[in-house]
Amino acid sequence: MTTQEIRMVQVVSEDGRVDEAQEPKLTKQQVFTLYQTLIRLRTFEARMMNLQRSGRIGFYGGSVGQEATATGSAFALEKQDWVFPQYREPGAALIRGISMETLLYQFMSTAKDIGKGRQMPVHYGDRAVNYVTISSVVASQIPHAAGGGWAMRLRKDNAVALVYFGDGATSTVDFHAGLNLAGVFKAATVFWCNNNQFAISVPREKQTASKTLAEKALAYGFEGLQCDGQDIFAVYAAAKYAVDKARRGEGPTMVESLTYRVGPHSSSDDPTRYRSDVEVDTWRKRDTLERVRHYLRHKGWYDESEDARLHKLAEEEVTRAIEAAEHAGPPSWETMLEDVFAEMTPLQQMQHDDLAAYLKWKEARA
Amino acid sequence: MVSVQFVDKDIVQVINEDGTAQRHLEPKMTHQEHLRLFRTMLLVRATDSKAMNLQRSGRIGFYVPSFGQEACQVGSASVLKPEDWVAPAYREPGAALVRGYPVKLLIAQCYGNKADAQKGRQMPSHYGSAATNFITASSPVGTQIVYATGVAWAMKIRKDPRVALVYFGDGATSEVDFHVGLNFGGVFRVPCIYFCNNNGWAISVPREKQTASPTIAGKAAAYGIEGARCDGNDVLAVVQVTKQAAHHARAGGGPTLIEALTYRMGPHSSSDDPTRYRSAEELEAWKKKDPIERYRRFLEKQGIVTAKDVKDLEADVTKEVEDAVAQVEGQAAVAPESMFEDVYAELPYHLRLQRDALLGERKAGAMVEYEQAEGKFPL
């Protein structure tokens, strides 16, 4: 029996103290990119939930409370790296350079949606920035990322796969298969677990009896560590460590980022049914943006008017994106027959002609 | 910073290779109990030898021998009470024998004839019996792990002080059912013993390609349960570790993952040729660690048996196996219509029709009944 320590990374404490030993090397400009992304993200999230509640998009899954864990981790990646998202990482999407317009085109299933309106809202992806399309099926992205990371290692691509999943996903088959394979073949994969304490309504303590989720990595022969998911600098430091290690060919790492979903699981969920207001308030106070402001003050970089300016910019950006999406119109019906066969099969051609004839008839009747 | 206990390289060993013992670790056992264990191990070896010969000469279709793994199965199962449950993989005939399953039925199951309690419905080496709480072996890897977890959970809910013991191999640890079973077992602290026979090979996949975890027992940490490692070729170490696990489970402490380090000295099954994937040197090295030899040396040193006793016991078990074959072989085949039994209390019309057709007794009335029943499928 040996005792193994699961390292916990925290840079900025809740009361604003900065641990300089753990502090990642970031330029002022990089810090402001993170800061601005968090503001953009928070503004975006608030408006999206309102759009759903007012019936302008059909569904939304928000990441309020978890902004830092997705944003900071994706910031540790290079351009050639790949993201295998869960469904609660719009912060990672913004960092990869996916615009708010692109996201909204998807949420509203418009003609300008990369996915041509074929996925339910919040299931976006963008090949141009190596951002794999989101799947609601819990953990299915983990084997994809294990395979992706293995391929990158075999091909000496100098690239890394980063995969996001929640605490609930650790009980799935795909978690077990993915991490075990990655351990054996030293895949260049970072397994990023956003432990937000609830798998929809199942609390963490009913999910598994292990002390931490990070220690599950030991069962697959690689390192697991924890980070404070509300502290974007800790998140970045943990991610950078794991990403660099994978890039050097030293195999996978699992990071358990301790966070909390302040909002509902999705627009279809009512979290008051399964958790207490006191708990939510406790976590609301561990606000990510406030932690960044502490850091900025520590550096002497905080400026209230700049904070206000960034918020205003973000509001304008979201408004522009919504307007663009609401005017984009739906995809043409013919697109449903595209992208599977190079040429339409006779059966598809028949269906195409039937539908065209029907629409023509309907138009004439109107 | 969180500290995690990880079961590393330490291995519980009671009998040293020369037959001397680490007395402080030795489980308390009477001479009678030692003799029973030893005889059962010899009986497994004799059964395996005979059954492999029967297979090679075409008298049975298939067999799964457990040469080299006798101590794991016999030692662990000997700790259990008759009312406990065993969910085997398929390399634990010794566990069945310890629980009182007669060798005659083991052999009969391989023949699948009238003498077979399972009516010839399973491929050879897939025995089981409700009378001994020994769940029928199943070839899909790891399926039994979830059954045992569920059985143990049920016993906990019913406040029934019984435990479940499930066997599986090193390969099964990569399976879905392992992950699901152990995680569930950990959350609900079920009285289950997860017994991994780590024989170094999942058919042809070596242990180091199976998982990067330094040990299999270390995986216990990932599920918040106890873990232990023992020398699987040392029957007393197996007894000792399993006893602790059973005690822990009965006391409400939850499951234990045991990793018994052993080696399959024979092929994976009668359909396998292990020379294709492993070296003769490796096999030779393990033959020197033969669990039966190790135990014999210990028993002789302790004065529990003499060399003559061993010879007598060997002759005795060989005769038991030969007698079983003599009684079973030559019995009639299972009646084909028995395939319609044991699912429905009363046979539904469509099965009656099939049975009658099989027996060449299709009655005029059967078809009428079938037509009348149309649209009311199946009952």
Side-chain angles (χ1 to χ4, degrees), chain A residues 1-8 169-173 175-177 180 183-185 205-212 215-222 226, chain B residues 1-10 172-176 178-180 183 186-188 208-214 218-219 221-224 226-227:
Chain A
M1 196 82 89
T2 54
T3 302
Q4 307 223 4
E5 306 291 355
I6 302 295
R7 191 156 65 89
M8 166 79 182
T170 63
S171 297
T172 65
V173 167
F175 172 85
H176 190 53
N180 195 50
V184 172
F185 295 104
E205 66 273 16
K206 285 275 176 218
Q207 195 62 246
T208 181
S210 70
K211 277 198 224 169
T212 67
E215 77 201 64
K216 287 181 185 280
L218 303 177
Y220 306 109
F222 55 86
Q226 291 183 308
Chain B
M1 187 91 82
V2 178
S3 297
V4 177
Q5 294 299 313
F6 192 85
V7 182
D8 224 317
K9 303 288 178 189
D10 300 338
T173 63
S174 298
E175 285 289 339
V176 168
F178 172 85
H179 189 56
V180 171
N183 193 49
V187 171
F188 295 98
E208 65 272 18
K209 285 274 177 219
Q210 194 62 246
T211 180
S213 176
K219 287 178 185 276
Y223 307 108
E226 294 295 318

Side-chain angles (χ1 to χ4, degrees), chain A residues 32 35-36 39 301-311:
Chain A
F32 269 81
Y35 177 37
Q36 187 173 8
I39 291 172
W301 295 340
Y302 185 68
D303 175 352
E304 211 169 311
S305 62
E306 177 64 4
D307 192 271
R309 190 183 73 87
L310 292 177
H311 274 90

Side-chain angles (χ1 to χ4, degrees), chain B residues 28-46:
Chain B
K28 283 195 190 71
M29 285 168 66
T30 63
H31 284 199
Q32 211 87 46
E33 286 169 333
H34 277 300
L35 279 173
R36 182 168 160 259
L37 273 194
F38 187 56
R39 188 182 185 281
T40 311
M41 287 167 70
L42 291 174
L43 184 57
V44 176
R45 182 71 54 99

Side-chain angles (χ1 to χ4, degrees), chain B residues 62-95:
Chain B
F62 176 82
Y63 192 71
V64 179
S66 58
F67 299 116
Q69 297 186 210
E70 294 88 349
C72 295
Q73 352 160 6
V74 174
S76 52
S78 76
V79 166
L80 299 179
K81 296 181 178 173
E83 62 271 26
D84 293 332
W85 280 85
V86 175
Y90 40 67
R91 210 179 300 285
E92 291 85 20

Side-chain angles (χ1 to χ4, degrees), chain A residues 134-152:
Chain A
I134 291 165
S135 157
S136 275
V137 181
V138 177
S140 58
Q141 70 277 17
I142 300 178
H144 303 164
W150 187 23
M152 291 168 203

